[in-house]
Coordinates of all heavy atoms in Angstrom, one line a residue:
Chain S
P23 N -93.6 -63.4 -132.3 CA -94.4 -62.9 -131.2 C -94.4 -63.9 -130.0 O -93.8 -64.9 -130.1 CB -95.8 -62.8 -131.9 CG -95.8 -64.0 -132.8 CD -94.4 -64.1 -133.4
F25 N -97.3 -64.9 -128.6 CA -98.5 -65.7 -128.9 C -99.0 -65.5 -130.3 O -98.8 -64.4 -130.8 CB -99.7 -65.3 -127.9 CG -99.3 -65.4 -126.5 CD1 -98.9 -64.4 -125.8 CD2 -99.5 -66.7 -125.8 CE1 -98.6 -64.5 -124.4 CE2 -99.2 -66.8 -124.5 CZ -98.7 -65.7 -123.8
Q26 N -99.5 -66.5 -130.9 CA -100.0 -66.4 -132.3 C -101.1 -67.4 -132.5 O -100.9 -68.6 -132.1 CB -98.9 -66.6 -133.3 CG -99.3 -66.4 -134.8 CD -99.6 -65.0 -135.1 OE1 -98.9 -64.0 -134.8 NE2 -100.8 -64.8 -135.7
V27 N -102.2 -67.0 -133.2 CA -103.2 -68.0 -133.6 C -103.3 -67.9 -135.1 O -103.4 -66.8 -135.7 CB -104.6 -67.6 -132.9 CG1 -105.6 -68.6 -133.4 CG2 -104.5 -67.6 -131.4
L28 N -103.3 -69.0 -135.7 CA -103.3 -69.1 -137.2 C -104.5 -70.0 -137.6 O -104.9 -70.9 -136.8 CB -102.0 -69.7 -137.8 CG -100.8 -68.9 -137.7 CD1 -99.6 -69.7 -138.2 CD2 -100.9 -67.6 -138.4
K29 N -104.9 -69.9 -138.8 CA -105.9 -70.8 -139.4 C -105.1 -71.8 -140.2 O -104.0 -71.5 -140.8 CB -106.9 -70.1 -140.2 CG -107.8 -69.2 -139.4 CD -108.8 -68.5 -140.3 CE -109.8 -67.6 -139.5 NZ -110.7 -66.9 -140.4
T30 N -105.7 -73.0 -140.4 CA -105.0 -74.0 -141.2 C -104.8 -73.4 -142.6 O -105.6 -72.8 -143.2 CB -105.9 -75.2 -141.3 OG1 -106.1 -75.8 -140.0 CG2 -105.3 -76.3 -142.2
G31 N -103.5 -73.7 -143.0 CA -103.1 -73.2 -144.4 C -102.4 -71.9 -144.4 O -101.8 -71.6 -145.4
Q32 N -102.5 -71.1 -143.4 CA -101.8 -69.8 -143.3 C -100.4 -70.0 -143.1 O -99.9 -71.1 -142.6 CB -102.4 -68.9 -142.2 CG -103.8 -68.4 -142.5 CD -104.2 -67.4 -141.4 OE1 -104.1 -67.7 -140.2 NE2 -104.7 -66.3 -141.8
S33 N -99.6 -69.0 -143.6 CA -98.1 -69.1 -143.4 C -97.7 -67.9 -142.4 O -98.5 -66.9 -142.3 CB -97.4 -69.0 -144.7 OG -97.7 -67.7 -145.3
M34 N -96.6 -68.1 -141.8 CA -96.1 -67.1 -140.9 C -94.6 -67.3 -140.6 O -94.1 -68.4 -140.8 CB -96.9 -66.9 -139.6 CG -96.6 -67.9 -138.6 SD -97.0 -67.4 -136.9 CE -95.9 -66.0 -136.7
T35 N -94.0 -66.3 -140.0 CA -92.6 -66.4 -139.6 C -92.5 -66.1 -138.2 O -92.9 -65.1 -137.7 CB -91.7 -65.4 -140.5 OG1 -91.8 -65.8 -141.9 CG2 -90.3 -65.5 -140.0
L36 N -91.8 -67.0 -137.5 CA -91.4 -66.7 -136.1 C -90.0 -66.2 -136.1 O -89.1 -66.7 -136.7 CB -91.5 -68.1 -135.3 CG -92.8 -68.6 -134.8 CD1 -93.7 -68.9 -135.9 CD2 -92.6 -69.8 -133.9
G78 N -92.5 -79.2 -142.8 CA -93.4 -78.1 -142.6 C -92.8 -76.8 -142.2 O -93.5 -75.8 -142.0
Y79 N -91.5 -76.8 -142.0 CA -90.8 -75.6 -141.5 C -89.6 -75.3 -142.4 O -88.9 -76.2 -142.9 CB -90.2 -75.8 -140.1 CG -91.2 -76.3 -139.1 CD1 -91.4 -77.6 -138.8 CD2 -92.0 -75.3 -138.4 CE1 -92.3 -78.1 -137.8 CE2 -92.9 -75.8 -137.4 CZ -93.1 -77.1 -137.2 OH -93.9 -77.5 -136.2
L91 N -87.9 -68.7 -138.3 CA -88.5 -70.0 -138.6 C -89.8 -69.7 -139.4 O -90.7 -69.1 -138.9 CB -88.8 -70.8 -137.3 CG -89.5 -72.1 -137.5 CD1 -88.6 -73.2 -138.1 CD2 -90.1 -72.6 -136.2
R92 N -90.0 -70.3 -140.5 CA -91.1 -70.1 -141.4 C -92.0 -71.3 -141.4 O -91.5 -72.5 -141.7 CB -90.7 -69.7 -142.8 CG -90.3 -68.3 -142.9 CD -90.0 -67.9 -144.4 NE -88.8 -68.5 -144.8 CZ -87.6 -68.0 -144.6 NH1 -87.5 -66.9 -143.9 NH2 -86.5 -68.6 -145.0
L93 N -93.3 -71.1 -141.1 CA -94.3 -72.2 -141.3 C -94.9 -72.0 -142.7 O -95.5 -70.9 -142.9 CB -95.4 -72.1 -140.2 CG -95.0 -72.8 -138.9 CD1 -94.0 -72.0 -138.2 CD2 -96.3 -72.9 -138.1
L94 N -94.8 -72.9 -143.6 CA -95.2 -72.7 -144.9 C -96.7 -72.8 -145.1 O -97.3 -72.0 -145.8 CB -94.5 -73.8 -145.8 CG -93.0 -73.9 -145.6 CD1 -92.5 -75.1 -146.3 CD2 -92.3 -72.6 -146.0
S95 N -97.4 -73.7 -144.5 CA -98.8 -73.9 -144.6 C -99.2 -74.6 -143.3 O -99.1 -75.8 -143.1 CB -99.2 -74.8 -145.8 OG -100.6 -75.0 -145.8
A96 N -99.6 -73.7 -142.3 CA -99.9 -74.2 -140.9 C -100.9 -75.3 -140.9 O -101.9 -75.3 -141.6 CB -100.3 -73.0 -140.1
A97 N -100.6 -76.3 -140.0 CA -101.5 -77.4 -139.7 C -101.8 -77.5 -138.2 O -100.9 -77.1 -137.4 CB -100.9 -78.7 -140.2
P98 N -102.9 -78.0 -137.8 CA -103.2 -78.2 -136.3 C -102.1 -78.9 -135.6 O -101.8 -78.7 -134.4 CB -104.5 -78.9 -136.3 CG -105.2 -78.5 -137.6 CD -104.1 -78.4 -138.6
S99 N -101.4 -79.8 -136.3 CA -100.3 -80.6 -135.7 C -99.1 -79.7 -135.3 O -98.2 -80.2 -134.6 CB -99.8 -81.7 -136.6 OG -99.3 -81.2 -137.8
Q100 N -99.1 -78.5 -135.8 CA -98.0 -77.6 -135.5 C -98.3 -76.7 -134.3 O -97.5 -75.8 -133.9 CB -97.6 -76.7 -136.7 CG -97.0 -77.6 -137.8 CD -96.7 -76.7 -139.1 OE1 -97.6 -76.1 -139.6 NE2 -95.5 -76.8 -139.5
T101 N -99.5 -76.9 -133.7 CA -99.8 -76.2 -132.4 C -98.8 -76.7 -131.4 O -98.7 -77.9 -131.1 CB -101.2 -76.6 -132.0 OG1 -102.1 -76.0 -132.9 CG2 -101.5 -76.0 -130.6
S102 N -98.0 -75.7 -130.8 CA -96.9 -76.1 -129.9 C -96.4 -74.8 -129.3 O -96.8 -73.7 -129.7 CB -95.9 -76.8 -130.7 OG -94.9 -77.4 -129.8
Y104 N -92.8 -72.9 -129.3 CA -91.5 -72.9 -130.0 C -90.4 -72.1 -129.3 O -90.7 -71.0 -128.9 CB -91.7 -72.3 -131.4 CG -92.6 -73.2 -132.3 CD1 -94.0 -73.1 -132.2 CD2 -92.0 -74.1 -133.2 CE1 -94.8 -74.0 -133.0 CE2 -92.8 -74.9 -133.9 CZ -94.2 -74.9 -133.8 OH -95.0 -75.7 -134.6
T123 N -92.5 -69.0 -128.2 CA -93.7 -68.5 -128.9 C -94.8 -69.6 -128.8 O -94.5 -70.7 -129.2 CB -93.4 -68.2 -130.4 OG1 -92.5 -67.1 -130.5 CG2 -94.7 -67.8 -131.1
R124 N -95.9 -69.2 -128.3 CA -97.0 -70.1 -128.2 C -97.9 -70.0 -129.4 O -98.5 -69.0 -129.7 CB -97.9 -69.9 -126.9 CG -97.2 -70.2 -125.7 CD -98.1 -70.0 -124.5 NE -97.4 -70.5 -123.3 CZ -97.3 -71.7 -122.9 NH1 -97.9 -72.7 -123.5 NH2 -96.6 -72.0 -121.8
L125 N -97.9 -71.1 -130.2 CA -98.6 -71.1 -131.5 C -99.8 -72.0 -131.5 O -99.7 -73.2 -131.0 CB -97.7 -71.5 -132.7 CG -98.4 -71.6 -134.0 CD1 -98.8 -70.2 -134.5 CD2 -97.4 -72.2 -135.0
T126 N -101.0 -71.5 -131.8 CA -102.2 -72.3 -132.0 C -102.6 -72.3 -133.4 O -102.8 -71.2 -134.0 CB -103.3 -71.8 -131.0 OG1 -102.8 -71.9 -129.7 CG2 -104.5 -72.7 -131.2
V127 N -102.8 -73.5 -134.0 CA -103.3 -73.5 -135.4 C -104.7 -74.1 -135.3 O -104.9 -75.3 -134.9 CB -102.4 -74.4 -136.3 CG1 -103.0 -74.4 -137.7 CG2 -101.0 -73.8 -136.2
L128 N -105.7 -73.4 -135.8 CA -107.1 -73.8 -135.7 C -107.5 -74.6 -137.0 O -107.0 -74.3 -138.1 CB -108.0 -72.6 -135.5 CG -107.7 -71.8 -134.2 CD1 -108.6 -70.6 -134.2 CD2 -107.9 -72.7 -133.0

Side-chain angles (χ1 to χ4, degrees):
Chain S
F25 301 93
Q26 183 69 50
V27 179
L28 293 177
K29 294 181 180 178
T30 297
Q32 287 185 314
S33 63
M34 79 158 295
T35 299
L36 280 62
Y79 307 95
L91 177 73
R92 280 183 289 277
L93 278 70
L94 309 172
S95 177
S99 61
Q100 293 179 304
T101 294
S102 189
Y104 292 84
T123 295
R124 291 185 175 275
L125 175 68
T126 301
V127 182
L128 303 175

